[in-house]
Amino acid sequence: MYSENVKDSFYINVNLPADYTANKNKYPVVFLLDANLYFDIVAAILDKYSEVGLAPSVILVGIGYKDFTAMDSLRNRDDTYPIAIPEYEMSVSGGADRFLSFIDKELVPAIDSMYRTDTAKRTLMGHSLGGYFTSYALLQNLSGKSVSINNYIAASPSLHYNNYYLLDQFKKIDHHKKDNIQMYITYGGPELNESSNQPDVLKQLSEVLGKKIFFKADVYSGLDHMDTQVPTFIKGLQLMLTGNE
């Protein structure tokens, strides 16, 4: 799918619920970042879990790139904002505003036009830099700049990016409460203990976002950075779409 906002093409995968053709129901839509890596496994788990009532039936939309090599570099472009400080040595960065415009103004309307979607239950979820972008999208929503998505699931988000830029931005927005917005964020225990210099991100986010939205954070004590994504995605969807923790 070519994006006028990003001026590049994305590879979109869609997994429909098993009972989609058997009824006329509308279904929640889940937008999954880094689909090259996560789409197949998340789709398979959701299919099996929904079959036995452990997960909601959803339309899963994976946003990916031509291949893993492209994903490795272009996610730096699409998932970050603002442009990276020099120490990160990113050749391209800072395009999250354009990527979000693609999702909001191009992809969401396209999915709504092709499938029976519950427009009140859209979820965005990502891991690491994808978790950073998910948090950035939430910030834009709370700032009144993006309203198409109301559920946000961030696994081990790279909130240290640009010296905790997003954390500072969250502290600057007003305290108007939005009851229809939800966020679930997780980290692995070992990654939180890697640096004694980092702020208590979860505590600060809870203090700020807990006043504005439904906010829940978990620490998976036995998991590291590259282990949190799938458990976070599944538990987040269970929490937000079924009310089960």
Side-chain angles (χ1 to χ4, degrees), residues 6-233:
V6 181
K7 305 301 181 186
D8 201 355
S9 293
F10 295 91
Y11 285 70
I12 308 301
N13 291 280
V14 178
N15 186 66
L16 297 175
D19 60 353
Y20 184 84
T21 58
N23 58 61
K24 300 297 182 181
N25 296 342
K26 293 184 177 181
Y27 292 86
V29 181
V30 178
F31 295 93
L32 173 65
L33 302 175
D34 294 331
N36 300 73
L37 191 57
Y38 301 129
F39 181 81
D40 288 343
I41 186 171
V42 173
I45 293 173
L46 287 177
D47 284 347
K48 289 298 183 182
Y49 274 33
S50 62
E51 186 179 318
V52 295
L54 293 177
S57 293
V58 303
I59 298 172
L60 181 67
V61 180
I63 308 172
Y65 302 90
K66 180 175 69 172
D67 51 36
F68 282 102
T69 302
M71 184 191 80
D72 193 44
S73 61
L74 294 181
R75 70 194 299 266
N76 292 342
R77 175 196 69 186
D78 296 329
D79 289 347
T80 60
Y81 187 91
I83 293 174
I85 56 179
E87 68 184 66
Y88 294 141
E89 298 181 348
M90 288 183 178
S91 59
V92 60
S93 62
D97 53 343
R98 295 184 293 275
F99 186 41
L100 183 57
S101 291
F102 160 64
I103 295 174
D104 269 341
K105 300 175 182 178
E106 300 177 79
L107 183 57
V108 166
I111 295 298
D112 285 346
S113 70
M114 289 187 285
Y115 304 103
R116 298 191 310 273
T117 62
D118 185 342
T119 59
K121 294 181 179 179
R122 296 193 189 103
T123 302
L124 175 67
M125 57 189 192
H127 169 253
S128 195
L129 280 179
Y132 181 91
F133 176 80
T134 299
S135 304
Y136 171 83
L138 171 62
L139 174 68
Q140 300 313 301
N141 191 327
L142 295 178
S143 302
K145 301 174 184 176
S146 170
V147 295
S148 66
I149 294 169
N150 58 313
N151 298 321
Y152 301 84
I153 301 173
S156 297
S158 302
L159 294 181
H160 60 275
Y161 179 82
N162 276 24
N163 300 317
Y164 296 92
Y165 168 83
L166 277 188
L167 186 59
D168 291 338
Q169 295 304 305
F170 277 124
K171 293 176 181 179
K172 294 177 182 178
I173 57 179
D174 64 54
H175 287 54
H176 180 66
K177 190 168 180 63
K178 294 190 175 184
D179 294 327
N180 64 323
I181 305 298
Q182 304 182 90
M183 183 183 199
Y184 179 57
I185 181 174
T186 68
Y187 282 100
E191 65 180 324
L192 287 181
N193 297 326
E194 285 177 358
S195 173
S196 60
N197 296 322
Q198 68 178 9
D200 190 337
V201 174
L202 291 182
K203 180 180 179 181
Q204 292 188 39
L205 281 176
S206 180
E207 291 173 349
V208 174
L209 293 178
K211 302 174 183 176
K212 302 175 176 66
I213 63 174
F214 172 85
F215 177 84
K216 181 173 175 57
D218 279 328
V219 176
Y220 295 158
S221 59
L223 303 182
D224 213 333
H225 181 77
M226 290 306 298
D227 305 319
T228 61
Q229 58 278 79
V230 174
T232 300
F233 296 158

